PDB file of all heavy atoms in Angstrom:
ATOM      1  N   ASP A  22     -77.454  28.815   4.932  1.00 58.00           N
ATOM      2  CA  ASP A  22     -76.837  29.692   5.900  1.00 58.00           C
ATOM      3  C   ASP A  22     -77.754  29.768   7.171  1.00 58.00           C
ATOM      4  O   ASP A  22     -78.767  30.495   7.166  1.00 58.00           O
ATOM      5  CB  ASP A  22     -76.623  31.069   5.348  1.00 58.00           C
ATOM      6  CG  ASP A  22     -76.085  31.987   6.320  1.00 58.00           C
ATOM      7  OD1 ASP A  22     -75.607  31.561   7.447  1.00 58.00           O
ATOM      8  OD2 ASP A  22     -76.019  33.187   5.997  1.00 58.00           O
ATOM      9  N   ASP A  23     -77.505  29.045   8.219  1.00 67.00           N
ATOM     10  CA  ASP A  23     -78.326  28.988   9.393  1.00 67.00           C
ATOM     11  C   ASP A  23     -77.804  29.696  10.535  1.00 67.00           C
ATOM     12  O   ASP A  23     -78.189  29.567  11.636  1.00 67.00           O
ATOM     13  CB  ASP A  23     -78.567  27.428   9.788  1.00 67.00           C
ATOM     14  CG  ASP A  23     -80.006  27.151   9.728  1.00 67.00           C
ATOM     15  OD1 ASP A  23     -80.794  27.980   9.404  1.00 67.00           O
ATOM     16  OD2 ASP A  23     -80.368  25.979   9.952  1.00 67.00           O
ATOM     17  N   SER A  24     -76.784  30.564  10.309  1.00 75.00           N
ATOM     18  CA  SER A  24     -76.290  31.329  11.402  1.00 75.00           C
ATOM     19  C   SER A  24     -77.312  32.494  11.763  1.00 75.00           C
ATOM     20  O   SER A  24     -78.252  32.668  11.009  1.00 75.00           O
ATOM     21  CB  SER A  24     -74.970  32.008  10.931  1.00 75.00           C
ATOM     22  OG  SER A  24     -75.158  32.823   9.900  1.00 75.00           O
ATOM     23  N   THR A  25     -77.029  33.095  12.812  1.00 78.00           N
ATOM     24  CA  THR A  25     -77.923  34.187  13.340  1.00 78.00           C
ATOM     25  C   THR A  25     -77.097  35.419  13.286  1.00 78.00           C
ATOM     26  O   THR A  25     -75.882  35.469  13.429  1.00 78.00           O
ATOM     27  CB  THR A  25     -78.479  33.891  14.712  1.00 78.00           C
ATOM     28  OG1 THR A  25     -77.394  33.835  15.582  1.00 78.00           O
ATOM     29  CG2 THR A  25     -79.170  32.618  14.727  1.00 78.00           C
ATOM     30  N   SER A  26     -77.975  36.624  13.280  1.00 78.00           N
ATOM     31  CA  SER A  26     -77.377  37.878  13.550  1.00 78.00           C
ATOM     32  C   SER A  26     -78.447  38.776  14.084  1.00 78.00           C
ATOM     33  O   SER A  26     -79.588  38.584  13.829  1.00 78.00           O
ATOM     34  CB  SER A  26     -76.728  38.508  12.256  1.00 78.00           C
ATOM     35  OG  SER A  26     -77.731  38.665  11.256  1.00 78.00           O
ATOM     36  N   GLY A  27     -78.021  39.797  14.830  1.00 84.00           N
ATOM     37  CA  GLY A  27     -79.037  40.699  15.423  1.00 84.00           C
ATOM     38  C   GLY A  27     -79.868  40.010  16.522  1.00 84.00           C
ATOM     39  O   GLY A  27     -79.500  38.976  16.963  1.00 84.00           O
ATOM     40  N   ASP A  28     -80.984  40.544  16.726  1.00 89.00           N
ATOM     41  CA  ASP A  28     -81.874  39.787  17.752  1.00 89.00           C
ATOM     42  C   ASP A  28     -82.419  38.598  17.162  1.00 89.00           C
ATOM     43  O   ASP A  28     -82.624  38.415  15.930  1.00 89.00           O
ATOM     44  CB  ASP A  28     -83.190  40.692  17.915  1.00 89.00           C
ATOM     45  CG  ASP A  28     -82.901  41.972  18.777  1.00 89.00           C
ATOM     46  OD1 ASP A  28     -81.670  42.041  19.227  1.00 89.00           O
ATOM     47  OD2 ASP A  28     -83.784  42.755  19.144  1.00 89.00           O
ATOM     48  N   VAL A  29     -82.659  37.649  17.967  1.00 94.00           N
ATOM     49  CA  VAL A  29     -83.233  36.338  17.548  1.00 94.00           C
ATOM     50  C   VAL A  29     -84.594  36.267  17.944  1.00 94.00           C
ATOM     51  O   VAL A  29     -84.950  36.421  19.168  1.00 94.00           O
ATOM     52  CB  VAL A  29     -82.373  35.246  18.076  1.00 94.00           C
ATOM     53  CG1 VAL A  29     -83.050  33.831  17.598  1.00 94.00           C
ATOM     54  CG2 VAL A  29     -80.941  35.177  17.594  1.00 94.00           C
ATOM     55  N   ILE A  30     -85.605  36.125  17.070  1.00 96.00           N
ATOM     56  CA  ILE A  30     -87.083  36.180  17.376  1.00 96.00           C
ATOM     57  C   ILE A  30     -87.564  34.764  16.900  1.00 96.00           C
ATOM     58  O   ILE A  30     -87.458  34.455  15.801  1.00 96.00           O
ATOM     59  CB  ILE A  30     -87.789  37.332  16.575  1.00 96.00           C
ATOM     60  CG1 ILE A  30     -87.115  38.582  16.791  1.00 96.00           C
ATOM     61  CG2 ILE A  30     -89.176  37.213  17.023  1.00 96.00           C
ATOM     62  CD1 ILE A  30     -87.340  39.106  18.260  1.00 96.00           C
ATOM     63  N   SER A  31     -88.233  34.090  17.851  1.00 97.00           N
ATOM     64  CA  SER A  31     -88.859  32.853  17.550  1.00 97.00           C
ATOM     65  C   SER A  31     -90.104  32.976  16.680  1.00 97.00           C
ATOM     66  O   SER A  31     -90.956  33.780  17.170  1.00 97.00           O
ATOM     67  CB  SER A  31     -89.029  32.071  18.809  1.00 97.00           C
ATOM     68  OG  SER A  31     -90.150  31.290  18.825  1.00 97.00           O
ATOM     69  N   ILE A  32     -90.296  32.070  15.810  1.00 98.00           N
ATOM     70  CA  ILE A  32     -91.672  31.901  15.116  1.00 98.00           C
ATOM     71  C   ILE A  32     -92.091  30.475  15.197  1.00 98.00           C
ATOM     72  O   ILE A  32     -91.282  29.688  14.656  1.00 98.00           O
ATOM     73  CB  ILE A  32     -91.561  32.471  13.631  1.00 98.00           C
ATOM     74  CG1 ILE A  32     -91.169  33.950  13.520  1.00 98.00           C
ATOM     75  CG2 ILE A  32     -92.947  32.210  12.964  1.00 98.00           C
ATOM     76  CD1 ILE A  32     -91.107  34.324  12.059  1.00 98.00           C
ATOM     77  N   VAL A  33     -93.161  30.262  15.810  1.00 98.00           N
ATOM     78  CA  VAL A  33     -93.651  28.880  15.834  1.00 98.00           C
ATOM     79  C   VAL A  33     -94.879  28.760  14.804  1.00 98.00           C
ATOM     80  O   VAL A  33     -95.831  29.437  14.977  1.00 98.00           O
ATOM     81  CB  VAL A  33     -94.114  28.455  17.273  1.00 98.00           C
ATOM     82  CG1 VAL A  33     -94.701  27.053  17.256  1.00 98.00           C
ATOM     83  CG2 VAL A  33     -92.877  28.488  18.174  1.00 98.00           C
ATOM     84  N   ALA A  34     -94.549  28.051  13.814  1.00 97.00           N
ATOM     85  CA  ALA A  34     -95.578  27.881  12.651  1.00 97.00           C
ATOM     86  C   ALA A  34     -96.271  26.357  12.962  1.00 97.00           C
ATOM     87  O   ALA A  34     -95.589  25.481  13.261  1.00 97.00           O
ATOM     88  CB  ALA A  34     -94.941  27.802  11.359  1.00 97.00           C
ATOM     89  N   SER A  35     -97.539  26.416  12.876  1.00 96.00           N
ATOM     90  CA  SER A  35     -98.283  25.191  12.927  1.00 96.00           C
ATOM     91  C   SER A  35     -99.361  25.150  11.830  1.00 96.00           C
ATOM     92  O   SER A  35     -99.238  26.062  10.985  1.00 96.00           O
ATOM     93  CB  SER A  35     -98.964  25.057  14.366  1.00 96.00           C
ATOM     94  OG  SER A  35    -100.011  25.916  14.381  1.00 96.00           O
ATOM     95  N   ASP A  36    -100.183  24.219  11.809  1.00 94.00           N
ATOM     96  CA  ASP A  36    -101.173  24.080  10.726  1.00 94.00           C
ATOM     97  C   ASP A  36    -102.185  25.247  10.888  1.00 94.00           C
ATOM     98  O   ASP A  36    -102.930  25.547   9.964  1.00 94.00           O
ATOM     99  CB  ASP A  36    -101.818  22.801  10.732  1.00 94.00           C
ATOM    100  CG  ASP A  36    -100.755  21.690  10.299  1.00 94.00           C
ATOM    101  OD1 ASP A  36     -99.734  21.941   9.704  1.00 94.00           O
ATOM    102  OD2 ASP A  36    -100.975  20.498  10.702  1.00 94.00           O
ATOM    103  N   THR A  37    -102.378  25.800  12.081  1.00 95.00           N
ATOM    104  CA  THR A  37    -103.396  26.806  12.371  1.00 95.00           C
ATOM    105  C   THR A  37    -102.916  28.104  12.993  1.00 95.00           C
ATOM    106  O   THR A  37    -103.797  29.038  13.160  1.00 95.00           O
ATOM    107  CB  THR A  37    -104.421  26.109  13.342  1.00 95.00           C
ATOM    108  OG1 THR A  37    -103.693  25.688  14.600  1.00 95.00           O
ATOM    109  CG2 THR A  37    -105.159  25.038  12.735  1.00 95.00           C
ATOM    110  N   ALA A  38    -101.570  28.174  13.261  1.00 96.00           N
ATOM    111  CA  ALA A  38    -101.202  29.412  13.817  1.00 96.00           C
ATOM    112  C   ALA A  38     -99.737  29.800  13.289  1.00 96.00           C
ATOM    113  O   ALA A  38     -99.104  29.031  12.795  1.00 96.00           O
ATOM    114  CB  ALA A  38    -101.033  29.228  15.341  1.00 96.00           C
TER     115      ALA A  38
END
Side-chain angles (χ1 to χ4, degrees):
D22 178 9
D23 238 1
S24 61
T25 63
S26 59
D28 285 1
V29 178
I30 307 289
S31 143
I32 299 177
V33 177
S35 69
D36 296 336
T37 53

